[in-house]
Amino acid sequence: MWAGAGTVRRVRTQASILHLDLDAFFAAVEQRDKPSLRGKPVVVGGTGGRGVVATASYEARIYGVRSAMSTREARARCPHAAFLSGRFHAYREASAQVMSLLRAVSPLVEPLSLDEAFVDLERSDLPDLEVETVTALAAELRRRVTEVTDGLTASVGLGTSKFIAKVASEIDKPDGLTVVVPGTEQELLRPMHVSVIPGVGPATSERLRRAGIHTVAELESVSADELVRLVGKAQGTSLWHLARALDDRPVVAERETKSVSVEGTYDTDLTDRTLMEGLLTRQASEVAARLIKHGLSGRTISIKVRLHDFTTLSRSTTLTSPTDAASVIARLARSLLVDLDTSGGVRLLGVGVSGLADWIQDDLFADAEDAGPDGPDLAAPGPEPELPTRHRSGWSPGMDVVHAELGRGWVWGSGRGVVTVRFETADSPAGPVRSYAVDDPDLSVWEPQEPASESATTSGTTGSPG
DNA sequence: TCTGGGGTCCTAGGACCC
DNA sequence: TCTGGGGTCCTAGGACCC
């Protein structure tokens, strides 16, 4: 029965999905490249005061060092380990070698990270997809991985779905190969903890635990309606299916980028607003550089602020058209910080751009050349930028610079016949705000107009005698 | 001085439009 | 004029993954 579970999910009848996972990847690359580290505990990750472990070699895992553990704790558990901050060039290179091996097996390869990928064997040249055939292929693949990477090892799992292939690759790690024979999936899953299911992390595990659900077998006995009630619609239906090993997610080779961001955690909490603005400005430049490098631009600019007590805030604003300009991203990022109370100290700051388009409206921005590659810059000396006629029909928050009674400002918002201008002052990136009629004929000498704001309505209420 | 960095997806509420 | 529903977009926060 498919009671209340929506559309049928067709699971493959053959173990044609392969999952490959390079063992203790970052640490293994370090041990490969530096023989003195072989056989010794190696920890790769953040080495600063607030760093965390990215990868621990198996020698370090003996001491209880784990991924995502703070480096501080890892040092306490295994003081004699080598603590390294990582050489991502080397990791990327080794990863590329392995990925190209996988693509030689099948064109349909989905990398999950530098050290992990799914391969769809239905698109391979194999004569059939019987267990013996795919097992032989996987064994040969593992041998080739070690050969081309000069000694790295991989764990491989094979199954009828992504879920099962991934579970399989964990079973005989490191340096192992496991094939889950089609038809035996539920038998394998039932005794396992619910956290084996993708998407079930600490929070969901705890919710399920409180409902008396610990194993996949117990999860299977819960109705779809009950699961939706417990964890929400999307996750509830997903759980109902995955508990039955019903997983028809396809292997997807190319994924579109949805957002680009840069963030940093600082060893000591930040309290100086000017410093924070400077850091956001630098991060905005890095984000812009990456957008440009990939030919992307985006409409939504966000900042992320983690306070001293680890509460995390985000603020965002959306432009009417996409940008990849560092000055625009920086200006908006700084102004988003203005509302936030950071007096207790800030441990993390970040800038991101989402709502990406893979093209830029060149014609629309042609005039930005006057102000340099980053678009109009309020700090730049020289003549006022000439305002093009397009400003009369469409205003672009964050991008358009205008001239009005407080000097130069930039468009903060527009709508209902009004354009809001934010003036940048020496004190603040987001200085005073004034609104102007959108059809004002003279752009540079606009007369201030009463903003259509909330404060106007309250005064009317108190003034009425009733 | 517990708790990285770069992502993805989901939820919920409000605005706005039809 | 009142009421409601659905769809879409936006914002903020949270969970999760590697």
Side-chain angles (χ1 to χ4, degrees):
Chain A
M1 281 292 284
W2 300 86
T7 51
V8 172
R9 300 196 182 180
R10 202 170 296 281
V11 178
R12 301 178 183 201
T13 57
Q14 291 176 302
S16 56
I17 295 185
L18 181 150
H19 180 256
L20 180 139
D21 194 338
L22 293 161
D23 302 312
F25 179 50
F26 297 167
V29 171
E30 298 302 333
Q31 290 175 321
R32 177 195 69 181
D33 295 347
K34 198 169 179 192
S36 65
L37 295 174
R38 292 179 195 168
K40 291 171 59 176
V42 172
V43 177
V44 180
T47 49
R50 285 171 167 170
V52 299
V53 174
T55 310
S57 72
Y58 281 86
E59 296 87 350
R61 293 184 196 188
I62 292 168
Y63 296 88
V65 179
R66 296 281 178 272
S67 292
M69 174 182 283
S70 73
T71 299
R72 182 174 304 275
E73 184 175 350
R75 280 189 205 276
R77 288 179 184 243
C78 190
H80 61 294
F83 288 85
L84 309 169
S85 56
R87 297 151 49 232
F88 280 82
H89 254 80
Y91 310 153
R92 263 191 287 274
E93 189 182 327
S95 177
Q97 291 173 322
V98 172
M99 297 300 168
S100 70
L101 267 186
L102 299 182
R103 291 193 181 96
V105 168
S106 161
L108 200 40
V109 173
E110 178 177 339
L112 299 178
S113 60
L114 287 178
D115 66 336
E116 239 183 275
F118 286 114
V119 183
D120 191 340
L121 299 183
E122 278 189 356
R123 296 279 301 278
S124 71
D125 293 332
L126 289 172
D128 63 71
L129 296 169
E130 298 303 320
V131 167
E132 301 75 47
T133 314
V134 297
T135 306
L137 172 91
E140 170 64 7
L141 189 57
R142 281 181 2 90
R143 195 188 62 73
R144 294 273 291 138
V145 165
T146 302
E147 186 179 274
V148 304
T149 60
D150 196 17
L152 301 185
T153 63
S155 294
V156 170
L158 284 153
T160 51
S161 66
K162 283 182 164 182
F163 177 25
I164 297 300
K166 173 130 190 178
V167 170
S169 72
E170 295 282 330
I171 290 174
D172 191 20
K173 184 178 276 207
D175 200 14
L177 167 58
T178 300
V179 186
V180 176
V181 174
T184 66
E185 293 86 1
Q186 289 188 270
E187 189 183 316
L188 171 74
L189 294 177
R190 281 189 182 119
M192 291 183 164
H193 190 259
V194 289
S195 57
V196 75
I197 295 172
V200 177
T204 307
S205 282
E206 177 58 18
R207 277 188 169 180
L208 295 174
R209 189 193 65 76
R210 285 192 211 152
I213 303 162
H214 310 87
T215 64
V216 176
E218 287 163 350
L219 190 62
E220 203 183 335
S221 71
V222 183
S223 72
D225 284 349
E226 177 70 3
L227 286 178
V228 168
R229 200 186 59 72
L230 271 173
V231 299
K233 189 175 176 181
Q235 205 181 14
T237 46
S238 167
L239 275 186
W240 190 92
H241 284 96
L242 294 175
R244 289 158 180 76
L246 297 174
D247 174 23
D248 62 0
R249 292 172 298 159
V251 178
V252 179
E254 299 285 330
R255 275 235 189 67
E256 230 175 318
T257 302
K258 302 272 175 67
S259 66
V260 173
S261 63
V262 170
E263 64 184 51
T265 295
Y266 306 97
D267 278 348
T268 54
D269 290 348
L270 310 170
T271 49
D272 181 345
R273 298 290 288 219
T274 307
L275 176 57
M276 291 185 220
E277 284 165 14
L279 292 166
L280 286 176
T281 303
R282 188 194 306 176
Q283 292 174 330
S285 298
E286 292 170 30
V287 168
R290 276 164 47 190
L291 287 171
I292 291 164
K293 183 176 169 186
H294 295 104
L296 298 168
S297 60
R299 290 178 54 224
T300 302
I301 282 72
S302 311
I303 63 164
K304 178 170 163 183
V305 177
R306 181 118 73 204
L307 304 177
H308 62 106
D309 64 353
F310 220 72
T311 58
T312 305
L313 308 172
S314 64
R315 290 294 181 272
S316 66
T317 186
T318 298
L319 304 171
T320 48
S321 52
T323 185
D324 62 2
S327 63
V328 171
I329 299 165
R331 177 191 297 159
L332 288 164
R334 290 190 302 257
S335 71
L336 287 168
L337 183 68
V338 167
D339 308 337
L340 268 35
D341 177 7
T342 56
S343 52
V346 165
R347 58 180 292 137
L348 172 147
L349 277 179
V351 175
V353 173
S354 58
L356 301 184
D358 55 2
W359 39 259
I360 296 180
Q361 292 167 295
D362 287 336
D363 52 330
L364 210 62
F365 300 138
D367 60 286
E369 282 171 26
D370 295 324
D374 281 343
D377 187 341
L378 295 179
E384 305 291 326
E386 200 174 302
L387 293 165
T389 51
R390 69 179 167 86
H391 282 184
R392 302 195 183 263
S393 53
W395 294 90
S396 208
M399 304 190 74
D400 289 332
V401 177
V402 300
H403 191 70
E405 92 279 20
L406 291 179
R408 278 207 283 177
W410 45 281
V411 175
W412 173 251
S414 67
R416 294 199 211 94
V418 171
V419 175
T420 308
V421 175
R422 193 140 215 174
F423 293 91
E424 198 167 62
T425 67
D427 294 336
S428 170
V433 171
R434 296 286 185 278
S435 292
Y436 303 89
V438 76
D439 59 357
D440 194 307
D442 194 336
L443 291 165
S444 61
V445 288
W446 283 18
E447 292 298 318
Q449 179 174 302
E450 195 71 77
S453 69
E454 308 75 19
S455 57
T457 53
T458 47
S459 63
T461 315
T462 49
S464 96

